[in-house]
Amino acid sequence: MNRIVVVGYGPTAHRLVETLTAKGFDGTVTVIGEEPRPAYDRVALTSYLSGVTLEDLTYEMPSGIVTRLNTRVTGIDREAGLVTLADGGSEPYDVLVLATGSAPFVPPVPGAEHAFVYRTIDDLDAIRKAAKNAVEGVVVGGGLLGLEAADALRALGLKAHIVEMSPWLMPRQVDEGGGAVLKSHIEGLGLGVHAGAGVQEIVHDGEQVTGLRKPDGTVLDAQVVVFSAGIRPRDELARSSGLEVGPRGGIVVDEGMLTSDPSIYAVGECALAGGMVYGLVAPCNSMADVVADRIMGGSKTFDGADMSTKLKLLGVEVAQFGAMEGALDVTYMDPVGGVYKKLFISDDARTLLGGICVGDASPYTSLRPFVGKELPASPSDLLFSGAGANLDVPDEAQVCSCNNVCAGDIRTAIADQGVTDVPGLKACTRAGTTCGSCVPLLKQLLEKSGVEVSKALCEHFTYSRAELFDIARVRGVTTFSELIGQHGTGRGCDICKPAVASILASLHNGHVLEGERATLQDTNDKFLANIQKNGTYSVVPRIPGGEITPEKLIVIGEVARDFGLYTKITGGQRIDLFGATVDQLPEIWRRLVDAGFESGHAYGKALRTVKSCVGSTWCRYGVQDSVGMAIALELRYRGLRSPHKLKSAVSGCARECAEARSKDFGIIATEQGWNLYVGGNGGFKPRHADLLANDLSSEELIRTIDRFLMFYIRTADRLQRTAAWLESLDGGLDYLREVIMEDSLGICADLDAQMEHHIATYADEWAATLDDPDKLDRFVSFVNAPGTPDPSIVFGNERGQIKPVMAR
Amino acid sequence: MNWTSICAFDALRPESGVCALVEGVQVAIFRTYDGDLYALANLDPYSGAYVLSRGIVGTRKGEPTVASPLHKQVYSLVTGRCLDDETLSVPVYSVRTGDTGHVEVSLEQRVKAGV
């Protein structure tokens, strides 16, 4: 059992290899894939059309695995125990796993060869290309994937139609009533829905598709036709090797996923398990886990799968769980709000059998764990939105169907392994790592387990930062004394004071050293410079977008030389001057301000820099003026105090030389405008920013960033970067879009006004400090001996510049 | 006791610190919100830098404190003990408001470091 060969390199093959590695398998694993690229996330395939890159979708293969891409397996020599390859080579195996997947079903109608399918990156590239010269598109198939494809066509700018054979859309997930509600949602978006209709012919002129003829003879005009009418298992290799296949296709496997050859397993969409072919990610993952377990000597079995689904398509939540029929059913229908919910119940009205939701999927989260169990409340209570959120989920109830994790597993992780948050549960149990639909339930289990995740800022405030922000905003609090006097205890500390200082600065934008506020600041803000290990400070003048004139560059050089400062270029495209004592800071800044420099806020939890590449002005590849945009953004948001530092960058083309995707908000130019990415982070835990919106005009871009920043400032925890904030945001990126782009909370006008206030009241805080003797008098080393240098500060020399020397 | 006059009391802002040089020794002097004065060595024993006067003044369970601006350890202004790391402490000096309304410091330690 030393050599494992996996044929096919899709998500299921990846899952198998990943699980084997995690279990410590020590033989060799060779994965042979037909596509020219490693496995990628097909569930998120559509996001590829809206700017997510192939790199983002691609799964990372564990180290030590041999992969052969672009390679077709042509046969299996079961006698010799090897597979033969199209290039004439062969690969010996002890255990063979077939993960050959499926192919989209294309009905044999005239002209079908001119239509597209929706399965691979190459398919999407072809559809995108064809859409450039098209105005209308038709998707054949109104199931889950068909709706996704229709959404993709719409996003590509086409008027989209859906043709579905069944009398209503998504017949495998919803019943007729749900289908009607779904239809009105989708038609409301401007899509054409043609249910109960087949395809007679794809009409074309020899090269170009012109339409789709329905059996009644009518023609839908379309230049792009996409088939999404189900899948067929890729079982041709198994068939030609004499393995048993089902009468309607699929490689026959037993409950251990073994084929009719005891050395060959089959997993995923090519396998026929218990007479069924499974096309969803969750059962395929379970199959891969069974095979990994069997290879490692275990005896796990695959006993069918929960086909429950919850998804959001075309902005509509659709969910189905458990059975789609029962002796009794209870329906909640709101045609005005576009909500349809139905529960199926046993004949004694005690046991929940299943449910269907359209327009509001909340019962999925709260009720799916109760399928097959006693109803936790009366059906009518359970169907009203919000109800059921506080139910106690039984231990054996499945929480995450993608990864087969039960409530009991979650509770064990919390109790025995001390997990206290959702990211911890994901790492520990894998729950919530695939489709993410169970994350709300994970949160609920955490809360109910009694894990006291205290939101209190510190011993002086029982409120979280976000709550304090709201208190200060709503009640118009302007001082720390007022806030702690009315809403806290004691006199504050190094945790709450800077946090409140930041809140007050975000809200009112006064000088950070004005009156009592000076006592709240960390030393960096108190001296408007960055403290270093020996108690000296570094100085960073703002260089917006990293663009600087020779004259200004010379001034920085002269200041550094005259004050004997160590000079270094920062990662944010500016210059850091080290080794200044507190009494030198005003003298240094006098020179810098006179030369036209402003504070760079390198010391503050505030906007730092907006980096840029050189952009279309000089670069032969650039498509937009990234430098101009970076300067505009940096000047717009300079001085904006926030829960943590904010970094940004603007790239002038997709080559991304400014590394915008490692920033809190990053902008990448497109031919049409700008793509906006948010929540990126370098640092201790790097994170690529997520695409929030694409092809924005400059005005749209700025408005969206305004709101993103202000919403973050309002709701984040203390010292929570945008990356962690976004990950902890209930509803994630979709929710963020709803709030700041669709104004679902009705706060956008407020956010806009707040940003306008910030911009209107911005003033350079170093210039203001130099003009105010009261603020300047703190810049002395010794209160009783002004002018006396601090004798503890000693410098040595390294590579021609100063370096700190510590006394010990 | 040998008292050294430092500055006018009003030169100290509430809830903040200043540093004074007293016979070559760096002394951090703090004025709390209620007008009480405290004096500690300015040397942060953890980092070896002379910075404690620039820390944030606050309270922990009612006890007046200062947090080191470098690595944020919190020290009691009353005892000089580090409340986050019991192996650390700083000397506490005597400080008072003299007859002329000036702040005065004596290097005679009220509490010796490490006691």
Side-chain angles (χ1 to χ4, degrees), chain A residues 105-303:
Chain A
F105 170 63
V106 177
V109 295
E113 69 278 10
H114 291 278
F116 299 98
V117 294
Y118 199 86
R119 180 173 176 84
T120 65
I121 290 284
D122 290 340
D123 294 337
L124 265 58
D125 281 335
I127 291 171
R128 172 150 56 188
K129 195 167 160 226
K132 284 198 171 146
N133 303 310
V135 288
E136 288 167 301
V138 176
V139 175
V140 180
L144 195 154
L145 194 63
L147 264 52
E148 205 171 307
D151 194 13
L153 292 186
R154 189 175 71 114
L156 290 170
L158 305 193
K159 157 86 183 167
H161 296 269
I162 303 163
V163 173
E164 165 62 41
M165 194 92 91
S166 306
W168 61 85
L169 296 175
M170 296 191 79
R172 292 177 75 161
Q173 282 82 21
V174 304
D175 62 358
E176 188 169 3
V181 173
L182 187 58
K183 180 172 185 237
S184 67
H185 269 292
I186 291 175
E187 286 180 337
L189 293 171
L191 282 83
V193 177
H194 311 266
V199 181
Q200 191 173 51
E201 170 185 15
I202 308 299
V203 191
H204 59 92
D205 61 11
E207 281 179 21
Q208 174 65 48
V209 169
T210 57
L212 176 145
R213 191 187 312 279
K214 296 194 279 185
D216 63 7
T218 55
V219 174
L220 286 172
D221 287 340
Q223 296 77 49
V224 175
V225 174
V226 180
F227 277 108
S228 176
I231 55 168
R232 292 293 178 267
R234 294 272 308 266
D235 57 10
E236 61 270 18
L237 185 62
R239 206 179 279 268
S240 66
S241 313
L243 297 176
E244 193 189 340
V245 294
R248 287 187 298 145
I251 307 166
V252 174
V253 292
D254 65 8
E255 75 278 4
M257 303 311 292
L258 260 191
T259 65
S260 53
D261 180 326
S263 318
I264 306 179
Y265 293 93
V267 289
E269 296 177 324
C270 66
L272 185 69
M276 281 272 289
V277 168
Y278 293 86
L280 291 178
V281 63
C284 292
N285 280 348
S286 305
M287 292 182 203
D289 292 351
V290 167
V291 171
D293 179 70
R294 292 282 174 138
I295 289 173
M296 298 300 287
S299 57
K300 259 194 184 173
T301 58
F302 177 77
D303 311 311

Side-chain angles (χ1 to χ4, degrees), chain B residues 69-96:
Chain B
L70 277 169
H71 297 281
K72 315 294 178 194
Q73 293 89 351
V74 169
Y75 295 88
S76 164
L77 293 182
V78 181
T79 66
R81 286 178 182 280
C82 178
L83 303 179
D84 296 321
D85 180 346
E86 58 183 26
T87 65
L88 297 176
S89 66
V90 295
V92 179
Y93 301 110
S94 300
V95 59
R96 68 178 188 190

Side-chain angles (χ1 to χ4, degrees), chain A residues 459-460 490-494 497-498 519-523 526-527 531-535 537 582 774-775 777-778 781-784 788 790-792 806 808, chain B residues 5-7 11 13-16 18-22 26 33 44-51 54-62 67 69-70 72 74:
Chain A
E459 69 170 68
H460 305 102
R491 282 305 304 175
C493 63
D494 59 307
K497 281 185 166 180
T519 69
L520 308 178
Q521 311 293 352
D522 264 320
T523 187
K526 195 178 284 179
F527 290 96
I531 197 167
Q532 303 299 329
K533 63 190 286 187
N534 65 343
Y537 291 80
V582 287
D774 202 43
K775 294 191 178 75
D777 74 2
R778 78 187 74 240
S781 291
F782 302 110
V783 66
N784 61 340
T788 305
D790 182 340
S792 74
M806 304 299 284
R808 59 178 171 88
Chain B
S5 175
I6 304 297
C7 62
R13 292 178 170 85
E15 304 212 273
S16 56
V18 296
C19 183
L21 199 55
V22 182
Q26 292 198 24
Y33 70 101
D44 171 11
Y46 184 80
S47 64
Y50 289 77
V51 293
R54 298 179 223 153
I56 290 180
V57 176
T59 59
R60 189 175 281 191
K61 297 195 176 73
L70 277 169
K72 315 294 178 194
V74 169

Side-chain angles (χ1 to χ4, degrees), chain A residues 15 368 395-411 413 425 428-433 438 441-442 445:
Chain A
R15 171 75 173 209
R368 189 174 55 88
D395 266 351
E396 66 279 14
Q398 198 179 50
V399 170
C400 171
S401 54
C402 298
N403 296 289
N404 192 17
V405 183
C406 296
D409 302 331
I410 301 293
R411 293 199 175 103
L425 285 178
C428 190
T429 65
R430 269 182 165 184
T433 55
C438 62
L441 191 52
L442 298 181
L445 285 166

Side-chain angles (χ1 to χ4, degrees), chain A residues 468-497:
Chain A
L468 284 176
F469 190 97
D470 275 341
I471 290 171
R473 184 174 61 87
V474 174
R475 312 210 173 172
V477 175
T478 58
T479 67
F480 178 79
S481 288
E482 198 182 339
L483 193 65
I484 199 163
Q486 291 169 16
H487 305 282
T489 54
R491 282 305 304 175
C493 63
D494 59 307
I495 293 171
C496 60
K497 281 185 166 180

Side-chain angles (χ1 to χ4, degrees), chain B residues 3-68:
Chain B
W3 294 94
T4 304
S5 175
I6 304 297
C7 62
F9 178 82
D10 291 342
L12 300 183
R13 292 178 170 85
E15 304 212 273
S16 56
V18 296
C19 183
L21 199 55
V22 182
E23 298 165 36
V25 176
Q26 292 198 24
V27 179
I29 303 165
F30 302 94
R31 172 178 164 185
T32 54
Y33 70 101
D34 49 11
D36 286 351
L37 293 176
Y38 299 91
L40 304 182
N42 194 37
L43 176 65
D44 171 11
Y46 184 80
S47 64
Y50 289 77
V51 293
L52 283 188
S53 62
R54 298 179 223 153
I56 290 180
V57 176
T59 59
R60 189 175 281 191
K61 297 195 176 73
E63 188 170 1
T65 57
V66 63
S68 163

